[in-house]
Amino acid sequence: MYICTPNQRQTMNNNYTEHVKHIITISQQEAMRLHNRVLKPEHFMLGILRDGKGKAIEVLRNRGVDLESLRSNLEWQLTKDDAIEECATETQSGFKEKASDITRESDRALKLSQLEARMMRQPSIDTEHLVLAMLKNEKSSFSLIMQQYKVDYQSFHDTLMQIEGLTTSNNDNTSRLREEESDMEGDD
């Protein structure tokens, strides 16, 4: 079971829809199923894929992403990453540590999803905001996997705006929220 710090529990209660809370629970189950020791952004996407509902799924389908292929690719990456981390842990400490926690990158994605919802002037955080937040770091393993499917932050955002029937032009709050985002990135 993944342990949340009081700060992470507070983050979880900040306007997340019941759907996203359910996705996070599924993500934890996916991590346990794969015998991963930490909760990564890839687990969030596996949770979204397993759930199969929501705007994030709609955007991915609209972009022509093979969801089954994406699931396999994410699982392969997580299995590979976990094997590497396990070897490193054994080598450094001489024994396997039992760590059940959320990575900084996952915690950051949860926090940034709040800003994504605010930039879209939406009161609640849902799957599309979480995926946008996870795509912010272009060099993350999650973003690199998504790039194989021709999905990056901008393409996901633009497709979401088309589905929502909104324009992709920036509003007055965007620059202020981007500054908040930069401040948040500096805290890491």
Side-chain angles (χ1 to χ4, degrees):
M1 193 64 165
Y2 292 86
I3 301 167
C4 290
T5 65
N7 189 32
Q8 290 165 338
R9 271 193 294 277
Q10 179 61 38
T11 298
M12 281 289 297
N13 293 324
N14 290 339
N15 299 325
Y16 287 94
T17 62
E18 288 303 314
H19 186 220
V20 168
K21 291 176 185 179
H22 177 68
I23 293 296
I24 293 170
T25 299
I26 294 172
S27 302
Q28 293 171 331
Q29 293 168 358
E30 289 293 313
M32 287 187 283
R33 181 180 66 81
L34 295 169
H35 305 289
N36 296 139
R37 299 175 318 132
V38 292
L39 189 63
K40 297 181 176 183
E42 291 88 339
H43 293 109
F44 292 148
M45 182 53 85
L46 285 175
I48 290 168
L49 292 170
R50 189 168 113 188
D51 180 68
K53 297 179 231 146
K55 289 234 173 83
I57 291 290
E58 188 177 347
V59 169
L60 294 173
R61 283 188 176 131
N62 192 289
R63 295 206 48 79
V65 173
D66 179 340
L67 301 181
E68 205 47 50
S69 171
L70 176 57
R71 178 190 325 275
S72 295
N73 202 341
L74 290 166
E75 288 177 353
W76 179 84
Q77 183 67 41
L78 286 165
T79 304
K80 183 184 90 158
D81 286 351
D82 198 52
I84 291 168
E85 288 170 9
E86 194 169 301
C87 289
T89 301
E90 285 180 332
T91 305
Q92 291 173 2
S93 64
F95 64 93
K96 291 183 185 179
E97 295 177 19
K98 184 175 181 182
S100 298
D101 205 357
I102 185 169
T103 63
R104 288 179 69 183
E105 191 173 359
S106 294
D107 188 50
R108 180 177 173 268
L110 290 171
K111 290 175 184 174
L112 286 177
S113 66
Q114 296 174 41
L115 291 175
E116 291 296 336
R118 285 175 51 199
M119 284 191 293
M120 297 175 139
R121 297 178 186 224
Q122 295 178 345
S124 300
I125 300 144
D126 214 333
T127 58
E128 64 272 20
H129 307 116
L130 183 55
V131 173
L132 282 167
M134 292 187 302
L135 288 168
K136 288 302 270 181
N137 180 356
E138 296 172 350
K139 293 182 174 38
S140 72
S141 60
F142 174 75
S143 288
L144 295 174
I145 290 169
M146 296 304 290
Q147 288 169 19
Q148 294 173 26
Y149 297 90
K150 301 195 180 351
V151 176
D152 60 10
Y153 178 89
Q154 195 62 52
S155 66
F156 189 94
H157 182 270
D158 291 350
T159 303
L160 177 61
M161 292 298 101
Q162 289 172 347
I163 289 169
E164 295 281 323
L166 301 171
T167 74
T168 57
S169 65
N170 293 338
N171 61 40
D172 295 337
N173 289 332
T174 301
S175 59
R176 182 178 54 80
L177 291 170
R178 293 281 179 224
E179 287 175 22
E180 287 180 35
E181 185 178 298
S182 284
D183 292 343
M184 193 177 286
E185 288 173 1
D187 292 341
D188 288 342

